[in-house]
Amino acid sequence: MAAGSCLLLLLLPWLVTASHSPPGCKIRITSKGLDLVKQEGLRFVEQELQNITMPDVHGKEGQFHYNISQVKVMDLQLAFSNLHFQPQQLLVFNISNASISLRFRRQLLYWFFYDIGSINASADGVHIHTVLQLAKDEAGRLKISNMTCNASIARMHAGFSGTLRTVYEFLSTFIVTGMRFLLSQQICPSLEHASLVLLNSVLDTVPVRNHVDEHIGIDYSLLRDPAISTDTLDLDFKGMFFPRARENQELENHAVEPVIKETERMVYVAFSEYFFDSAMHSYFQAGVLAIELQGEKVPKDLEVLLRATFFGTIFMQSPAVDAPLRLVLQVSAPPRCIIKPSGTSVSVSAFLNISLVPPGRPAIQLSSMAMETKLSAKVFLQGKALRVQLDLRRFRIYSKQSALESLALFSLQTPLKTLLQLTIMPIINERTKKGVQIPLPEGMDFTKEVVTNHAGFLTVGADLHFSKGLREVIEKYRPAPTTPTYPSSWPAEPSMDPQQL
C-alpha cells in the first residue's frame, strides 16, 4: 500500500503536466469582441425569428367555428439585448421587452354567416433567455454543445375588421391566447436550430487540421474546453505543424506557455516559440530546406572570387577549370526560433558545398564549409494570414576540415553574406509570403493589428470585423433541408372549404 502511494506521488507531476499540455497558439476574445459578435448575432436572430412557421389554429365555441392560418411574422423590434460571458463555459444571450408583429388569415363560420380576411396582431413584452454551452468536440473544434432557452410573451393584441368584427372581438380571448401560446412555443425551437445547427456550421469553417502547402500542414485542434471568465473567452490550440509525409508525427512542446493578460482589444492571438519551431522542424523533415545554384544562377562576382580562392585546386584539375560551379546550401539541423521582448530571431545551422560540375564527368568538390546564421523575423498579420518576413542579421562560415582552411575562407565571408541577402533570402521570403491562416470562422477578419514580443512568445492584439455576414456564411454551408415535424398534439391543416368548418 505504501509502495503504491509512493508511486502515485512520483507520477503525479507527470500526470498534471500531461493533462495540461501547453498550447502553441492561444486566442482570447474579450467583452469588446463579444459586443461586435452580438451586433451581428442580433441581425441573425431577427432573421431567424422572422422565419418562424406555425401550424393552423382552429376550434369551436358554441356555434362559432374559427380557423387561423398562414401566420407570418411581419416585423420585430428587439430593442434591448445582451450577450455576455458566464463562467465556466457559457454564453448568455438575453432579449427583453421585444415586440413581434404578426399577420394571419382568418375564417369564421357562425350559423349561416361566413367571414374571411386577415388579422394583424402584436406580441409585446417578449422575453427570451438563452444559455449556450461551449465545448471541444471529438475533432478538437469549438462547438455549441448544448442550449437552454426560455421564452415568454407578456401581452398580445389583435385588430379585427369585417362584418363579424363584434363576433371576433368576443372570440379574441380564445384566438389571442392560442396564438400567444403557439408563438412562445416556436421561439426556442427556432433559436435552438439556429444555434446547434446553423451557428455550428459557421464554427465548422474554423481550420482544425489542414494543409499549408505541398510540404507541411498544421494542427489547430483545441487541447481542452474553452476557459470563460466574466470578461474573456480563452481558447488553447495545439498550434503544431507537421510534415505531410508523416501526418501522425507529434513534436513534444517544451516551450513557454503563452500568457495573455490584456483585455483592451477585441481579440488577442498568442504564439509560442513551439509554433514556429514545429514549422521549421516540419520543413526540415520534408527535406525542402536546401537550395542549389549552378552555372548562370551563381552571381558572376561570386564565381570569380570562388575560382580565385580555389585556384590551386582548380589548376590541379586543369581539364575542369572552365566547368560550371555548383553551390548547394542545405540546413543541417532544424532551425530554432527565439522570441524575446527585444524581437524575434531564428538561428540556422547549415553547410555549403562548392563543386565543379564538368559535363559528362563526376562533380569535383572544392570545399564544404559550415555556416551559422541568425535571421531577424518580422511577424505580422494580414487579414487572417500570419506572415513572417526574414532578414539576415549575422553570418559566419568556417571549415569543417581545419582551422587553417577556415582562415582561408575569411575572404568569402562578405560575398557569401551578400549572396544570401540578394539571392537566397528573397527565395525564402517568397515561400513565407502566403502565410498560414489563424483559426477564425469564415467571414471574420482582423484589423488594426499590433504585435508585442514577450519572453518565449508573442501576442497580436487586434480588432475584429465581419467581411461576410453570418447569414451569408450559413447559406454557403447550410445543411440539406429536412421536412419540419410538429408535435403530434398539433392538429392537421384544416380545409379552406367553409362547408367543412
Short mmCIF file of all heavy atoms in Angstrom, two decimals, residues 29-88:
data_model
loop_
_atom_site.label_atom_id
_atom_site.label_comp_id
_atom_site.label_asym_id
_atom_site.label_seq_id
_atom_site.Cartn_x
_atom_site.Cartn_y
_atom_site.Cartn_z
N ILE A 29 -10.82 36.12 -26.74
CA ILE A 29 -11.86 37.05 -27.18
C ILE A 29 -12.35 37.79 -25.95
O ILE A 29 -12.71 37.18 -24.94
CB ILE A 29 -13.02 36.30 -27.87
CG1 ILE A 29 -12.50 35.57 -29.11
CG2 ILE A 29 -14.13 37.28 -28.26
CD1 ILE A 29 -13.55 34.71 -29.79
N THR A 30 -12.35 39.11 -26.01
CA THR A 30 -12.71 39.93 -24.87
C THR A 30 -14.17 40.38 -24.97
O THR A 30 -14.86 40.11 -25.97
CB THR A 30 -11.80 41.16 -24.78
OG1 THR A 30 -12.08 42.02 -25.90
CG2 THR A 30 -10.33 40.76 -24.81
N SER A 31 -14.64 41.07 -23.94
CA SER A 31 -16.01 41.59 -23.95
C SER A 31 -16.24 42.55 -25.10
O SER A 31 -17.34 42.62 -25.66
CB SER A 31 -16.31 42.30 -22.62
OG SER A 31 -16.27 41.38 -21.54
N LYS A 32 -15.19 43.30 -25.50
CA LYS A 32 -15.33 44.21 -26.64
C LYS A 32 -15.56 43.42 -27.93
O LYS A 32 -16.35 43.83 -28.79
CB LYS A 32 -14.09 45.08 -26.76
CG LYS A 32 -13.94 46.09 -25.63
CD LYS A 32 -12.73 46.99 -25.85
CE LYS A 32 -12.61 48.01 -24.72
NZ LYS A 32 -11.42 48.88 -24.90
N GLY A 33 -14.86 42.31 -28.06
CA GLY A 33 -15.09 41.46 -29.22
C GLY A 33 -16.48 40.84 -29.20
O GLY A 33 -17.13 40.69 -30.24
N LEU A 34 -16.94 40.50 -28.00
CA LEU A 34 -18.27 39.91 -27.87
C LEU A 34 -19.36 40.91 -28.24
O LEU A 34 -20.40 40.53 -28.77
CB LEU A 34 -18.47 39.41 -26.44
CG LEU A 34 -19.60 38.41 -26.22
CD1 LEU A 34 -19.37 37.14 -27.02
CD2 LEU A 34 -19.74 38.08 -24.74
N ASP A 35 -19.12 42.19 -27.99
CA ASP A 35 -20.10 43.22 -28.38
C ASP A 35 -20.28 43.25 -29.89
O ASP A 35 -21.40 43.41 -30.39
CB ASP A 35 -19.65 44.59 -27.89
CG ASP A 35 -19.80 44.75 -26.38
OD1 ASP A 35 -20.58 43.98 -25.79
OD2 ASP A 35 -19.14 45.63 -25.79
N LEU A 36 -19.18 43.10 -30.63
CA LEU A 36 -19.28 43.06 -32.09
C LEU A 36 -20.02 41.81 -32.54
O LEU A 36 -20.87 41.87 -33.44
CB LEU A 36 -17.88 43.09 -32.72
CG LEU A 36 -17.84 43.02 -34.24
CD1 LEU A 36 -18.40 44.30 -34.86
CD2 LEU A 36 -16.42 42.77 -34.74
N VAL A 37 -19.72 40.68 -31.90
CA VAL A 37 -20.42 39.44 -32.24
C VAL A 37 -21.91 39.58 -31.95
O VAL A 37 -22.75 39.08 -32.69
CB VAL A 37 -19.81 38.26 -31.45
CG1 VAL A 37 -20.62 36.99 -31.65
CG2 VAL A 37 -18.35 38.04 -31.86
N LYS A 38 -22.24 40.30 -30.87
CA LYS A 38 -23.65 40.49 -30.52
C LYS A 38 -24.40 41.25 -31.61
O LYS A 38 -25.52 40.91 -31.97
CB LYS A 38 -23.77 41.23 -29.20
CG LYS A 38 -25.20 41.34 -28.68
CD LYS A 38 -25.36 42.37 -27.58
CE LYS A 38 -25.42 43.76 -28.17
NZ LYS A 38 -25.80 44.78 -27.16
N GLN A 39 -23.77 42.28 -32.16
CA GLN A 39 -24.42 43.06 -33.20
C GLN A 39 -24.75 42.21 -34.41
O GLN A 39 -25.86 42.27 -34.96
CB GLN A 39 -23.53 44.24 -33.60
CG GLN A 39 -23.27 45.24 -32.49
CD GLN A 39 -22.24 46.28 -32.88
OE1 GLN A 39 -21.92 46.45 -34.05
NE2 GLN A 39 -21.69 46.99 -31.89
N GLU A 40 -23.78 41.41 -34.85
CA GLU A 40 -24.02 40.55 -35.99
C GLU A 40 -24.98 39.43 -35.63
O GLU A 40 -25.85 39.05 -36.43
CB GLU A 40 -22.68 39.97 -36.49
CG GLU A 40 -22.80 39.09 -37.73
CD GLU A 40 -23.30 39.86 -38.94
OE1 GLU A 40 -23.07 41.08 -39.03
OE2 GLU A 40 -23.94 39.23 -39.80
N GLY A 41 -24.85 38.92 -34.40
CA GLY A 41 -25.75 37.84 -33.97
C GLY A 41 -27.19 38.30 -33.84
O GLY A 41 -28.12 37.53 -34.09
N LEU A 42 -27.40 39.56 -33.44
CA LEU A 42 -28.75 40.07 -33.29
C LEU A 42 -29.45 40.14 -34.64
O LEU A 42 -30.64 39.81 -34.76
CB LEU A 42 -28.72 41.44 -32.63
CG LEU A 42 -30.04 41.97 -32.06
CD1 LEU A 42 -30.59 41.02 -31.01
CD2 LEU A 42 -29.85 43.36 -31.48
N ARG A 43 -28.71 40.57 -35.66
CA ARG A 43 -29.30 40.57 -37.01
C ARG A 43 -29.68 39.16 -37.43
O ARG A 43 -30.73 38.94 -38.05
CB ARG A 43 -28.30 41.17 -38.01
CG ARG A 43 -28.18 42.67 -37.92
CD ARG A 43 -27.43 43.24 -39.12
NE ARG A 43 -26.01 42.90 -39.04
CZ ARG A 43 -25.11 43.70 -38.47
NH1 ARG A 43 -25.48 44.84 -37.92
NH2 ARG A 43 -23.84 43.36 -38.45
N PHE A 44 -28.83 38.21 -37.08
CA PHE A 44 -29.11 36.82 -37.43
C PHE A 44 -30.35 36.31 -36.69
O PHE A 44 -31.20 35.62 -37.26
CB PHE A 44 -27.88 35.98 -37.09
CG PHE A 44 -28.10 34.50 -37.20
CD1 PHE A 44 -28.37 33.91 -38.41
CD2 PHE A 44 -28.04 33.70 -36.06
CE1 PHE A 44 -28.57 32.54 -38.49
CE2 PHE A 44 -28.23 32.35 -36.14
CZ PHE A 44 -28.50 31.76 -37.36
N VAL A 45 -30.48 36.65 -35.39
CA VAL A 45 -31.64 36.22 -34.61
C VAL A 45 -32.92 36.81 -35.19
O VAL A 45 -33.96 36.13 -35.30
CB VAL A 45 -31.47 36.60 -33.13
CG1 VAL A 45 -32.78 36.43 -32.37
CG2 VAL A 45 -30.37 35.76 -32.49
N GLU A 46 -32.88 38.08 -35.58
CA GLU A 46 -34.05 38.71 -36.18
C GLU A 46 -34.49 37.96 -37.44
O GLU A 46 -35.68 37.71 -37.66
CB GLU A 46 -33.74 40.17 -36.53
CG GLU A 46 -33.61 41.08 -35.31
CD GLU A 46 -33.24 42.49 -35.71
OE1 GLU A 46 -32.91 42.71 -36.90
OE2 GLU A 46 -33.30 43.39 -34.85
N GLN A 47 -33.51 37.60 -38.25
CA GLN A 47 -33.83 36.87 -39.48
C GLN A 47 -34.43 35.50 -39.18
O GLN A 47 -35.36 35.06 -39.85
CB GLN A 47 -32.57 36.73 -40.33
CG GLN A 47 -32.05 38.04 -40.87
CD GLN A 47 -30.64 37.92 -41.44
OE1 GLN A 47 -29.96 36.91 -41.26
NE2 GLN A 47 -30.18 38.96 -42.12
N GLU A 48 -33.90 34.84 -38.14
CA GLU A 48 -34.43 33.52 -37.80
C GLU A 48 -35.86 33.61 -37.25
O GLU A 48 -36.72 32.81 -37.59
CB GLU A 48 -33.51 32.84 -36.77
CG GLU A 48 -32.21 32.34 -37.36
CD GLU A 48 -32.43 31.34 -38.47
OE1 GLU A 48 -33.08 30.30 -38.22
OE2 GLU A 48 -31.97 31.59 -39.59
N LEU A 49 -36.11 34.60 -36.40
CA LEU A 49 -37.45 34.74 -35.83
C LEU A 49 -38.46 35.15 -36.89
O LEU A 49 -39.64 34.82 -36.78
CB LEU A 49 -37.43 35.75 -34.69
CG LEU A 49 -36.64 35.34 -33.44
CD1 LEU A 49 -36.71 36.42 -32.37
CD2 LEU A 49 -37.16 34.01 -32.87
N GLN A 50 -38.03 35.88 -37.90
CA GLN A 50 -38.94 36.24 -38.98
C GLN A 50 -39.36 35.03 -39.81
O GLN A 50 -40.38 35.09 -40.51
CB GLN A 50 -38.29 37.30 -39.88
CG GLN A 50 -38.26 38.69 -39.26
CD GLN A 50 -37.56 39.71 -40.15
OE1 GLN A 50 -36.80 39.34 -41.04
NE2 GLN A 50 -37.82 40.97 -39.90
N ASN A 51 -38.58 33.98 -39.73
CA ASN A 51 -38.89 32.77 -40.50
C ASN A 51 -39.66 31.74 -39.69
O ASN A 51 -39.79 30.58 -40.10
CB ASN A 51 -37.60 32.14 -41.03
CG ASN A 51 -36.91 33.02 -42.05
OD1 ASN A 51 -37.57 33.71 -42.82
ND2 ASN A 51 -35.59 33.01 -42.07
N ILE A 52 -40.15 32.14 -38.52
CA ILE A 52 -40.92 31.21 -37.69
C ILE A 52 -42.15 30.73 -38.47
O ILE A 52 -42.87 31.52 -39.09
CB ILE A 52 -41.35 31.89 -36.38
CG1 ILE A 52 -40.17 31.96 -35.41
CG2 ILE A 52 -42.49 31.11 -35.71
CD1 ILE A 52 -40.49 32.65 -34.11
N THR A 53 -42.39 29.45 -38.44
CA THR A 53 -43.60 28.88 -39.04
C THR A 53 -44.44 28.29 -37.92
O THR A 53 -43.92 27.67 -36.99
CB THR A 53 -43.25 27.78 -40.06
OG1 THR A 53 -42.46 26.77 -39.41
CG2 THR A 53 -42.45 28.37 -41.22
N MET A 54 -45.76 28.48 -38.04
CA MET A 54 -46.67 28.00 -37.00
C MET A 54 -47.80 27.22 -37.65
O MET A 54 -48.24 27.53 -38.76
CB MET A 54 -47.23 29.18 -36.20
CG MET A 54 -46.15 29.84 -35.36
SD MET A 54 -46.66 31.34 -34.48
CE MET A 54 -48.36 31.15 -34.23
N PRO A 55 -48.31 26.21 -36.96
CA PRO A 55 -49.44 25.44 -37.50
C PRO A 55 -50.72 26.26 -37.42
O PRO A 55 -50.80 27.27 -36.72
CB PRO A 55 -49.50 24.22 -36.58
CG PRO A 55 -48.96 24.73 -35.28
CD PRO A 55 -47.88 25.73 -35.64
N ASP A 56 -51.71 25.80 -38.13
CA ASP A 56 -53.01 26.46 -38.08
C ASP A 56 -53.67 26.25 -36.73
O ASP A 56 -53.41 25.27 -36.03
CB ASP A 56 -53.93 25.92 -39.17
CG ASP A 56 -53.41 26.25 -40.57
OD1 ASP A 56 -52.48 27.06 -40.66
OD2 ASP A 56 -53.93 25.68 -41.55
N VAL A 57 -54.51 27.21 -36.37
CA VAL A 57 -55.29 27.13 -35.13
C VAL A 57 -56.76 27.10 -35.52
O VAL A 57 -57.23 27.97 -36.25
CB VAL A 57 -55.00 28.35 -34.22
CG1 VAL A 57 -55.84 28.24 -32.94
CG2 VAL A 57 -53.52 28.43 -33.89
N HIS A 58 -57.47 26.10 -35.03
CA HIS A 58 -58.90 26.08 -35.30
C HIS A 58 -59.62 25.49 -34.09
O HIS A 58 -59.05 24.74 -33.29
CB HIS A 58 -59.23 25.29 -36.57
CG HIS A 58 -58.83 23.85 -36.50
ND1 HIS A 58 -59.67 22.86 -36.11
CD2 HIS A 58 -57.64 23.25 -36.80
CE1 HIS A 58 -59.04 21.70 -36.16
NE2 HIS A 58 -57.81 21.92 -36.57
N GLY A 59 -60.85 25.90 -33.93
CA GLY A 59 -61.61 25.44 -32.78
C GLY A 59 -63.08 25.79 -32.89
O GLY A 59 -63.55 26.31 -33.92
N LYS A 60 -63.80 25.52 -31.82
CA LYS A 60 -65.24 25.72 -31.81
C LYS A 60 -65.66 26.22 -30.44
O LYS A 60 -65.23 25.70 -29.41
CB LYS A 60 -65.94 24.39 -32.12
CG LYS A 60 -67.45 24.45 -32.06
CD LYS A 60 -68.04 23.07 -32.34
CE LYS A 60 -69.57 23.11 -32.22
NZ LYS A 60 -70.17 21.76 -32.41
N GLU A 61 -66.47 27.29 -30.46
CA GLU A 61 -67.06 27.83 -29.24
C GLU A 61 -68.56 27.95 -29.49
O GLU A 61 -69.03 28.90 -30.15
CB GLU A 61 -66.45 29.19 -28.90
CG GLU A 61 -64.98 29.16 -28.54
CD GLU A 61 -64.72 28.38 -27.27
OE1 GLU A 61 -65.62 28.37 -26.39
OE2 GLU A 61 -63.65 27.77 -27.13
N GLY A 62 -69.32 27.02 -29.01
CA GLY A 62 -70.77 27.02 -29.27
C GLY A 62 -71.01 26.84 -30.76
O GLY A 62 -70.56 25.86 -31.37
N GLN A 63 -71.70 27.79 -31.36
CA GLN A 63 -71.97 27.74 -32.79
C GLN A 63 -70.91 28.44 -33.63
O GLN A 63 -71.06 28.55 -34.85
CB GLN A 63 -73.34 28.39 -33.07
CG GLN A 63 -74.50 27.67 -32.42
CD GLN A 63 -74.60 26.23 -32.88
OE1 GLN A 63 -74.40 25.92 -34.05
NE2 GLN A 63 -74.89 25.32 -31.95
N PHE A 64 -69.86 28.91 -32.96
CA PHE A 64 -68.79 29.59 -33.68
C PHE A 64 -67.69 28.60 -34.03
O PHE A 64 -67.17 27.89 -33.16
CB PHE A 64 -68.20 30.72 -32.83
CG PHE A 64 -69.17 31.84 -32.55
CD1 PHE A 64 -69.87 31.90 -31.36
CD2 PHE A 64 -69.40 32.82 -33.50
CE1 PHE A 64 -70.76 32.92 -31.10
CE2 PHE A 64 -70.29 33.85 -33.25
CZ PHE A 64 -70.98 33.90 -32.05
N HIS A 65 -67.33 28.56 -35.30
CA HIS A 65 -66.21 27.75 -35.79
C HIS A 65 -65.17 28.70 -36.36
O HIS A 65 -65.51 29.55 -37.20
CB HIS A 65 -66.68 26.79 -36.88
CG HIS A 65 -67.71 25.81 -36.43
ND1 HIS A 65 -67.43 24.50 -36.13
CD2 HIS A 65 -69.05 25.98 -36.19
CE1 HIS A 65 -68.55 23.88 -35.76
NE2 HIS A 65 -69.55 24.77 -35.78
N TYR A 66 -63.95 28.59 -35.92
CA TYR A 66 -62.92 29.51 -36.40
C TYR A 66 -61.68 28.75 -36.83
O TYR A 66 -61.38 27.65 -36.35
CB TYR A 66 -62.56 30.56 -35.34
CG TYR A 66 -61.99 30.00 -34.07
CD1 TYR A 66 -60.62 29.79 -33.94
CD2 TYR A 66 -62.82 29.68 -32.99
CE1 TYR A 66 -60.09 29.27 -32.77
CE2 TYR A 66 -62.30 29.16 -31.82
CZ TYR A 66 -60.93 28.97 -31.70
OH TYR A 66 -60.41 28.46 -30.56
N ASN A 67 -60.96 29.35 -37.77
CA ASN A 67 -59.72 28.78 -38.28
C ASN A 67 -58.73 29.92 -38.54
O ASN A 67 -59.06 30.91 -39.20
CB ASN A 67 -59.96 28.00 -39.57
CG ASN A 67 -58.68 27.38 -40.11
OD1 ASN A 67 -57.94 26.74 -39.38
ND2 ASN A 67 -58.42 27.58 -41.39
N ILE A 68 -57.53 29.81 -37.98
CA ILE A 68 -56.47 30.78 -38.17
C ILE A 68 -55.34 30.08 -38.94
O ILE A 68 -54.84 29.04 -38.51
CB ILE A 68 -55.93 31.32 -36.83
CG1 ILE A 68 -57.07 31.98 -36.04
CG2 ILE A 68 -54.80 32.30 -37.06
CD1 ILE A 68 -57.71 33.14 -36.73
N SER A 69 -54.91 30.65 -40.05
CA SER A 69 -53.89 30.01 -40.89
C SER A 69 -52.96 31.06 -41.49
O SER A 69 -53.20 32.26 -41.37
CB SER A 69 -54.55 29.19 -42.00
OG SER A 69 -55.33 30.04 -42.83
N GLN A 70 -51.92 30.57 -42.15
CA GLN A 70 -50.95 31.41 -42.87
C GLN A 70 -50.37 32.51 -41.96
O GLN A 70 -50.31 33.69 -42.31
CB GLN A 70 -51.60 32.04 -44.11
CG GLN A 70 -52.12 31.00 -45.09
CD GLN A 70 -52.82 31.62 -46.29
OE1 GLN A 70 -52.64 32.80 -46.58
NE2 GLN A 70 -53.61 30.83 -46.99
N VAL A 71 -49.93 32.10 -40.78
CA VAL A 71 -49.34 33.05 -39.84
C VAL A 71 -47.97 33.49 -40.34
O VAL A 71 -47.13 32.66 -40.72
CB VAL A 71 -49.21 32.43 -38.44
CG1 VAL A 71 -48.63 33.44 -37.47
CG2 VAL A 71 -50.56 31.92 -37.95
N LYS A 72 -47.73 34.79 -40.36
CA LYS A 72 -46.48 35.32 -40.86
C LYS A 72 -45.99 36.44 -39.96
O LYS A 72 -46.76 37.32 -39.58
CB LYS A 72 -46.66 35.84 -42.29
CG LYS A 72 -45.36 36.32 -42.94
CD LYS A 72 -45.59 36.76 -44.37
CE LYS A 72 -44.27 37.20 -45.01
NZ LYS A 72 -44.48 37.66 -46.41
N VAL A 73 -44.70 36.40 -39.62
CA VAL A 73 -44.08 37.47 -38.84
C VAL A 73 -43.78 38.64 -39.78
O VAL A 73 -43.07 38.48 -40.78
CB VAL A 73 -42.80 36.99 -38.15
CG1 VAL A 73 -42.12 38.15 -37.42
CG2 VAL A 73 -43.09 35.86 -37.17
N MET A 74 -44.31 39.79 -39.47
CA MET A 74 -44.14 40.97 -40.32
C MET A 74 -43.00 41.88 -39.86
O MET A 74 -42.32 42.50 -40.68
CB MET A 74 -45.45 41.78 -40.36
CG MET A 74 -46.65 40.97 -40.82
SD MET A 74 -46.41 40.26 -42.47
CE MET A 74 -46.29 41.75 -43.45
N ASP A 75 -42.81 41.98 -38.56
CA ASP A 75 -41.81 42.92 -38.05
C ASP A 75 -41.39 42.51 -36.65
O ASP A 75 -42.16 41.89 -35.91
CB ASP A 75 -42.38 44.34 -38.04
CG ASP A 75 -41.32 45.36 -37.63
OD1 ASP A 75 -40.20 45.28 -38.14
OD2 ASP A 75 -41.62 46.22 -36.78
N LEU A 76 -40.12 42.82 -36.32
CA LEU A 76 -39.60 42.57 -34.98
C LEU A 76 -38.91 43.82 -34.46
O LEU A 76 -38.25 44.53 -35.22
CB LEU A 76 -38.59 41.41 -34.98
CG LEU A 76 -39.12 40.01 -35.25
CD1 LEU A 76 -38.88 39.63 -36.69
CD2 LEU A 76 -38.42 39.02 -34.34
N GLN A 77 -39.06 44.06 -33.21
CA GLN A 77 -38.36 45.15 -32.54
C GLN A 77 -37.63 44.56 -31.34
O GLN A 77 -38.23 44.30 -30.30
CB GLN A 77 -39.35 46.25 -32.11
CG GLN A 77 -40.07 46.93 -33.24
CD GLN A 77 -39.14 47.73 -34.12
OE1 GLN A 77 -38.13 48.27 -33.66
NE2 GLN A 77 -39.47 47.82 -35.41
N LEU A 78 -36.32 44.30 -31.53
CA LEU A 78 -35.51 43.72 -30.46
C LEU A 78 -34.63 44.81 -29.88
O LEU A 78 -33.42 44.86 -30.11
CB LEU A 78 -34.67 42.55 -31.00
CG LEU A 78 -35.45 41.48 -31.79
CD1 LEU A 78 -34.50 40.38 -32.24
CD2 LEU A 78 -36.57 40.89 -30.94
N ALA A 79 -35.24 45.71 -29.16
CA ALA A 79 -34.53 46.92 -28.71
C ALA A 79 -33.51 46.63 -27.62
O ALA A 79 -32.44 47.22 -27.59
CB ALA A 79 -35.55 47.95 -28.22
N PHE A 80 -33.82 45.74 -26.70
CA PHE A 80 -32.96 45.51 -25.54
C PHE A 80 -32.40 44.09 -25.60
O PHE A 80 -33.16 43.11 -25.50
CB PHE A 80 -33.74 45.73 -24.24
CG PHE A 80 -34.35 47.09 -24.14
CD1 PHE A 80 -35.69 47.29 -24.41
CD2 PHE A 80 -33.58 48.20 -23.78
CE1 PHE A 80 -36.26 48.54 -24.33
CE2 PHE A 80 -34.15 49.46 -23.70
CZ PHE A 80 -35.49 49.64 -23.98
N SER A 81 -31.09 43.99 -25.77
CA SER A 81 -30.45 42.67 -25.84
C SER A 81 -29.11 42.73 -25.15
O SER A 81 -28.49 43.79 -25.01
CB SER A 81 -30.27 42.23 -27.29
OG SER A 81 -29.43 43.12 -27.98
N ASN A 82 -28.65 41.57 -24.73
CA ASN A 82 -27.38 41.49 -24.01
C ASN A 82 -26.75 40.13 -24.26
O ASN A 82 -27.43 39.11 -24.21
CB ASN A 82 -27.60 41.71 -22.51
CG ASN A 82 -26.31 41.54 -21.71
OD1 ASN A 82 -26.09 40.49 -21.13
ND2 ASN A 82 -25.47 42.56 -21.71
N LEU A 83 -25.45 40.15 -24.57
CA LEU A 83 -24.68 38.92 -24.74
C LEU A 83 -23.46 39.03 -23.85
O LEU A 83 -22.68 39.97 -23.97
CB LEU A 83 -24.27 38.74 -26.21
CG LEU A 83 -23.40 37.53 -26.54
CD1 LEU A 83 -24.17 36.23 -26.31
CD2 LEU A 83 -22.91 37.60 -27.99
N HIS A 84 -23.28 38.08 -22.94
CA HIS A 84 -22.14 38.17 -22.03
C HIS A 84 -21.61 36.78 -21.69
O HIS A 84 -22.30 35.76 -21.86
CB HIS A 84 -22.53 38.92 -20.75
CG HIS A 84 -23.59 38.24 -19.93
ND1 HIS A 84 -24.93 38.47 -20.12
CD2 HIS A 84 -23.51 37.34 -18.92
CE1 HIS A 84 -25.63 37.74 -19.27
NE2 HIS A 84 -24.79 37.04 -18.53
N PHE A 85 -20.36 36.78 -21.22
CA PHE A 85 -19.73 35.54 -20.77
C PHE A 85 -20.26 35.16 -19.39
O PHE A 85 -20.59 36.02 -18.57
CB PHE A 85 -18.21 35.71 -20.67
CG PHE A 85 -17.53 36.02 -21.97
CD1 PHE A 85 -16.82 37.20 -22.14
CD2 PHE A 85 -17.59 35.13 -23.03
CE1 PHE A 85 -16.18 37.49 -23.32
CE2 PHE A 85 -16.95 35.41 -24.23
CZ PHE A 85 -16.25 36.59 -24.38
N GLN A 86 -20.29 33.85 -19.17
CA GLN A 86 -20.63 33.36 -17.83
C GLN A 86 -19.76 32.13 -17.55
O GLN A 86 -19.83 31.14 -18.30
CB GLN A 86 -22.12 32.98 -17.75
CG GLN A 86 -22.52 32.44 -16.37
CD GLN A 86 -24.01 32.18 -16.27
OE1 GLN A 86 -24.81 33.05 -16.59
NE2 GLN A 86 -24.39 30.98 -15.85
N PRO A 87 -18.91 32.20 -16.53
CA PRO A 87 -18.08 31.02 -16.20
C PRO A 87 -18.98 29.81 -15.94
O PRO A 87 -20.11 29.97 -15.47
CB PRO A 87 -17.33 31.46 -14.94
CG PRO A 87 -17.42 32.98 -14.95
CD PRO A 87 -18.72 33.31 -15.60
N GLN A 88 -18.56 28.62 -16.29
CA GLN A 88 -17.25 28.28 -16.78
C GLN A 88 -17.19 28.21 -18.33
O GLN A 88 -16.20 28.59 -18.93
CB GLN A 88 -16.84 26.91 -16.22
CG GLN A 88 -16.73 26.85 -14.73
CD GLN A 88 -15.55 27.65 -14.21
OE1 GLN A 88 -14.53 27.73 -14.87
NE2 GLN A 88 -15.70 28.28 -13.06
#
